[in-house]
Each structure stands twice: as structure tokens, then as C-alpha cells.
Amino acid sequence: MLKYFKRLFCCSLLFIYNTGSAQSSKPGLVISENKVINSFPLLTNTVVAPFYYDTNDARVVQIAAEAFANDVQLISGKQLKVNTSNPISGEYAIVAGTIGQSKIIDELIKEKLIDVIDIKNKWERFTIQIIRKSSKVKGSKTPLRGVGGLVIAGSDPRGTAFAIFHLSRLMGVSPFVWWADVMPQKKRQLFVSGNYTSTPPSVKYRGIFINDEDWGLQPWAAKTFEPETGDIGPKTYAKVFELLLRLKANLIWPAMHDCTKAFFKIPGNAKVAEDYSILIGSSHAEPMLRNNVGEWDEKAMGHFNYITNKETVYKYWEDRVKESSGINAIYSVGMRGVHDSKMEGVKDSKEAVPLLESIIKDQRELLTKYLKKDVSAIPQVFTAYKEVLEIYDNGLKLPDDVTLVWPDDNYGYIQRLNNKQEMNRPGGSGVYYHASYWGRPHDYLWLSSTNPALVQEEMMKAFENGSNRLWVLNVGDIKPLEYNIEMFMDMAYNALPFKDNGYAKKHLLQWAAYLFGKEKATAIQSILWEYYQLAFERRPEFMGWSQTEPTTKTNYTTFNHFFYGDEAQKRIDRYQIIEDKVKVLRSKILPKDAAAFYQLVYYPVEGASLMNKKFLYRDKSYFYAKQNR
């Protein structure tokens, strides 16, 4: 992945990991290098416990099992054998499966060797339990007869996969092991002790929106990682989906700019999403899983106008609903113009209300017809983004089962919270949040510059107000936003610790300790926290005081060079302090951590510092020249 980072050269970004303690296993499950009484020997000096799953289980279980085997090899250099449900032999074995889909798990439940009462028929739940050899009843038909087992049971296939990757995280493997070259610490032996049953996810649908992929992810995938596809295709999406599973996320809004072919137009994309058990959605501007930028041909199809061209638009949506009827999807309903523009055919928001209500009615009839189920049971979202919020405020009547998604203002401040009536809607509500943005008045695509404390404050306000059905984070190219993604998904999966107002800073400390060791964690946290504080005052991308769409010329900054003790110099000095600190720290980083440290800590600090110096020293040279200095 370092090649991708170099390909983006100015990209890479910030930190990422939250040690796993934010969604941590309770103290009941521990993975340690030290053997304790009744612990399960996952990895010893001589052997690695084999991994068993049922071939009748979902494909995602096999995918997670194979990824886990790779994680064990990365940690120990030893090969963990992944087996199907053949007779289990040996002294110890890891067994993973989904209730109702795995014979092994179902037999263990029948024999009352594992307890699944808290997770059965629940959403994305799992339990991890140790079965000791001594617990076997003579004559038992259990597949673990005479074998000590580490049993992983999921309430559904995604729950099983989450459990497997939960173990990886506890072993020391970061979700960004591939995306940010985060190498785990080598270990000779690992013992698992205790049992653990997960709690319900705080937010039901949790995912990312790949957006503004033009300069990084798309060309890298097309030219380097997946040249056989020449685009962001199934090989790239497989890596994205593995990342989502490792983060305990479940939803993708795929890349949709005109540089990228539409998700459904590339063979294998939808299949790999199904294999990884990731739900497919589409952005606020892309109703009914359509990519208007790549799929609506105005010359051949006419205007994207439901008043003058209803029949063509209707068929356009109908074809995609037919195509997607057999997959796990969340449908965006409503209508905007092509590529983030206003709906055609109406003069103002008030006039748009009856038309939009009619459109949603027609879309829901398509869903009922082709998915052959009660429309209220089909996940649907309506995102009140930009002018759509004005339409909603003009009295739009939205079906109660549709999830109402509130946007932020593109800069991290959520525009609306539920009123009492909205809090009680059966479809619930959610949030669409930007950690990356391309648009007016100014975009930020280069670095992770959204302060974690702001993300915590805004998202937890929404959560406490009942917006817990869907959270989607606009992540741009993924690469610059590792830490933001990590923190956001930790909060979406387990919001409880984030109710502490000071937890954002603690989370950053935990992440730093997990990735680079406790002895360096405080220093890294201090540097990055100051980096974020400075970015909160003014993002590095905004130092030119220009504006995009329409483009304006770079201007002098408004940091004062004469008052407040030379405000501009104070800012330069603050950056110089963390720049000096991060350079010293870089020399102390272990070789295995060098690539990750450069991408996640060193580069953003150094890049932001130099960008500020460039503009502030430019200002000073202007004033010096006026003073004949």
C-alpha cells in the first residue's frame, strides 16, 4: 500500500487506529502472550490451532477466515490451516460459523456447549467462547469431541465476520494493516482467555461514501492495482470491503464521479459486495442505485426531467431495480439533478414538493413490484442535502418507514436535528457527514483536517437525538482519512464511551498506543492534537484565502502580523514546535512502523506546517517590501 501512498504523494494521512478499546471487548476476553489457566492456545512455539468453518455458510465467513489466517502469519510467520467442516481432529481448534447456516455451530448449540441466547435472531451480534476438553460429555456427538475449542458464533454472516476480525484486532492487527502499511508486532505465542458476547451496534447501517476519487483512488486502481479493469473494480472493492468488515461497518456508497465507471457497469462489483456481505447504497444525488453521471446519457435519453421525460426516467430506475432485486441494498429515494445539482423542471422548493412526493410514490411501487415484499421492509433513505432540505421544509410528506438522513454543512456542522415528531418515525433518521469535501466555497481533499472533537460533538448530538439508523461518512479517496474513518466507525459501532465529552482525546491516545506503543503514545497524541487544533482554526487547504466554484485568486491571509503579539508568527511557531517534535520522534520509530508513521503522523504534520509557512512567510515578505526592509 505504500506504493499507493507514493502515487498520491501529497496524500496519506492521519492516524487511524483505535486500539480496539473503543469498541473493546469487555475484560471477559483477553489475548495475551502469557498462558493462564483454562486459556486457549491460539498460537504456541510449536503449533497453530487450525480454523474450521462450514462450506454451507455464507461466503463472507470463508473470506474472514482466510484473512484471519493471513493475520496470524503476519504476526508469527506461521501458517494457520483453514479447513471446511470435515471431522475436527487434534488437541485444539478454532471453529467459526453462523447460527442456522453452520452445522458445527448448530450441533454445539444443540449439545448446549455454547450459549447463544443473547445473540440468536439479532442484528450483527456474535459470541466468542472457549470449550475446554474437560467439558465434553462421554458419548457426545459434538464435532469437538475430545478437542478444545475456540468457538465463534454469529447471529448472521456479518456478525460472524465481525467476530473473526474482532479477534484479529485483539491480536494486534489494525483494520488499516493493508491500507496504511501498519505492521503488527511479531509474537511467538498467543493465548485466548475468557468469553465475550457483543452488544448491539449503536447505529444500524454504518458506512462510507467514496467521493472525489479523481486524483487518487481511481487513477491508482486503474493504472497500478487493477490495470486489467482499468478502473475501481472488484479487486479494489474487495480491499475496501475487507476494511469495512474490520471496522465493523456494513455499507458502501460507491465512487460515482465521471472518471469512474458506474458501480453496476463493472462486472464483478456487485458480486464482490455480496461475497463480503456489504450493503450497496447510493448517494443523495443517485436515486435507486443509479449513477447519473456515468449512466444518464442526455443525448440519447433526453433531459433528466420527471415532468417532460417521465417515461424514460421511470424505465431507467425500473431497469436498475430489476437488476438489484437479488442483492442486499439500501435504496436512496427522491430526485435531484445530474451530479449534485437541483431537480429539473421546477421553479422553486415549494413547487418541487408535489412532484417529489409523486416521484417517491412511483419509486416505492417499483420496489414493491420487483423485490416482492412489503415496501416498509425494504431499506430506503432520503437525504435532505443542500436544496432538498428546503423542499423538505416546505412540507414534503415523506413515508414514515423511509429513513430521513440529515447532512452536515459540508464542514462538519450538522444542519438539523430531529424534532419530536421526527424522533418517533418508524424509519428513523441518520446522518451524512463530510470528512472530505469538493465544492464551494472551498474544498479540502489533501489532509485530514476535521477535528476529532468536532466529529464527536456533532455526531453524538445527533445520536442522543435519535439519529441512529444510518451514518455515512464522505471519505474522499479513503487514504487521507484513516484516523477519521476509524474514529467515526468506532463511534457508530459503540457510541457509549463517546458520551464522555473528553473521549475524543482519549481515543486518539489509545490509537497511538495500539499502533506505535505505549511509550510513544503520549507524544504522538500531543502532536496530533495540536495539529488538529491548528486545522480547526484554519484548515491547511484554506490558507490561500481563495474560493472554488467559482474560482477566485489566492489572496493574503487575514492572520495579523502586527497585533496580538504577531498572530501570524505565533501560528508559525506553533507549527514549528510540532514539526520539530515529529522529526525527533520519527528517528525513534521502529523500522516496522516507519511506513505507517510517515503516512499517518509525519506527513500530515510536516505538510500542514510547510503549507502554513508558505503563505504566512509570503505575507511577511510583502509587508517587509512595503517597509523597504
Side-chain angles (χ1 to χ4, degrees), residues 463-530:
F463 180 80
E464 296 284 10
N465 194 249
S467 291
N468 61 1
R469 185 62 59 90
L470 175 144
W471 284 10
V472 174
L473 184 68
N474 187 320
V475 301
D477 267 317
I478 296 179
K479 195 70 191 84
L481 297 171
E482 293 96 334
Y483 179 68
N484 300 72
I485 296 170
E486 176 82 15
M487 177 190 172
F488 188 91
M489 293 307 161
D490 283 348
M491 188 162 31
Y493 186 76
N494 181 12
L496 183 61
F498 290 89
K499 291 185 178 184
D500 172 5
N501 289 336
Y503 191 71
K505 203 168 185 178
K506 296 175 187 175
H507 184 279
L508 183 57
L509 180 66
Q510 292 166 356
W511 166 83
Y514 188 98
L515 264 64
F516 303 109
K518 290 182 180 179
E519 68 283 357
K520 298 181 181 70
T522 301
I524 292 172
Q525 180 216 42
S526 173
I527 290 167
L528 292 179
W529 194 257
E530 177 72 349

Side-chain angles (χ1 to χ4, degrees), residues 382-423:
F382 177 84
T383 305
Y385 184 62
K386 290 189 176 179
E387 81 288 343
V388 181
L389 184 57
E390 296 177 24
I391 298 172
Y392 178 78
D393 284 341
N394 269 277
L396 179 75
K397 294 178 182 176
L398 192 67
D400 282 344
D401 57 273
V402 174
T403 300
L404 177 58
V405 179
W406 302 117
D408 70 328
D409 64 350
N410 303 319
Y411 298 97
Y413 294 89
I414 296 174
Q415 290 194 293
R416 189 71 59 82
L417 298 174
N418 296 318
N419 58 31
K420 288 184 178 179
Q421 183 179 354
E422 289 158 349
M423 288 178 72

Side-chain angles (χ1 to χ4, degrees), residues 288 306 310 314 318 321 333 357-373 375 378 380:
M288 309 307 281
Y306 209 67
K310 177 177 178 177
Y314 185 90
E318 182 178 34
V321 174
V333 297
E357 288 178 351
S358 173
I359 288 169
I360 293 171
K361 179 176 179 291
D362 289 348
Q363 290 170 337
R364 284 163 64 81
E365 287 175 356
L366 285 173
L367 294 175
T368 301
K369 180 178 179 179
Y370 293 105
L371 273 61
K372 301 187 186 306
K373 60 174 72 172
V375 71
I378 300 169
Q380 300 154 70

Side-chain angles (χ1 to χ4, degrees), residues 535-547:
F536 185 72
E537 292 175 9
R538 187 77 180 178
R539 295 180 192 266
E541 296 94 336
F542 294 177
M543 288 301 293
W545 256 260
S546 56
Q547 182 176 321

Side-chain angles (χ1 to χ4, degrees), residues 106-145:
D106 289 348
E107 287 179 16
L108 292 173
I109 295 170
K110 186 178 179 181
E111 293 286 329
K112 298 183 179 179
L113 290 173
I114 59 170
D115 179 6
V116 297
I117 191 169
D118 290 333
I119 70 166
K120 192 174 182 180
N121 299 321
K122 303 291 178 61
W123 177 262
E124 296 178 347
R125 300 286 298 279
F126 63 85
T127 184
I128 302 172
Q129 300 176 26
I130 294 174
I131 297 177
R132 302 198 310 273
K133 293 181 187 179
S134 59
S135 68
K136 308 300 174 291
V137 179
K138 189 174 182 181
S140 168
K141 296 179 180 178
T142 173
L144 282 176
R145 185 168 53 250

